[in-house]
């Protein structure tokens, strides 16, 4: 059986603020389904497995960006030292 999460569930699961979760939902960065009648007043749901996969893929992307950023900063520091 599929478990459905609401924004409140995501807040409890991650410790994020409700504003952050709503912003991710509205921006389309979080792959949720809007079950409200209109686009302005969003009521969002997401399958738990979809959310877990999104978290895993987002973590990998963030880690890759951090490595790239660190490498760039290290080379800038080395250039200034030399």
């Amino acid at each position: 059986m599929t478990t459905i999460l609401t924004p409140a569930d995501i807040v409890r699961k991650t410790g994020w603020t409700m504003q952050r979760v709503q912003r991710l939902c509205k921006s389309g960065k979080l792959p949720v389904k809007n079950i409200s009648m209109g686009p302005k007043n969003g009521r969002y749901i997401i399958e738990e497995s979809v959310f877990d996969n999104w978290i895993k893929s987002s973590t990998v992307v963030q880690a890759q960006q951090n490595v790239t950023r660190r490498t760039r900063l290290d080379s800038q520091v080395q250039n200034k030292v030399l």
Side-chain angles (χ1 to χ4, degrees):
M1 182 152 83
T2 303
T3 302
I4 301 296
L5 300 176
T6 64
D9 296 326
I10 294 171
V11 167
R12 280 191 291 277
K13 188 171 183 165
T14 62
W16 297 341
T17 64
M18 181 59 80
Q19 291 84 0
R20 181 178 184 183
V21 173
Q22 289 290 343
R23 193 170 47 247
L24 289 169
C25 292
K26 289 178 183 178
S27 69
K29 291 181 181 177
L30 188 60
V32 294
K33 294 179 185 174
N34 186 348
I35 58 170
S36 68
M37 295 303 242
K40 280 192 170 188
N41 301 323
R43 292 192 57 203
Y44 304 103
I45 59 171
I46 186 171
E47 292 181 23
E48 186 171 33
S49 60
V50 172
F51 178 74
D52 291 341
N53 289 333
W54 180 81
I55 285 289
K56 287 176 189 172
S57 67
S58 296
T59 303
V60 169
V61 168
Q62 184 64 42
Q64 290 171 342
Q65 289 173 345
N66 288 342
V67 168
T68 303
R69 204 172 298 131
R70 273 191 227 117
T71 303
R72 194 174 337 117
L73 289 173
D74 287 345
S75 67
Q76 289 173 353
V77 168
Q78 286 176 356
N79 289 338
K80 286 184 179 182
V81 171
L82 299 175

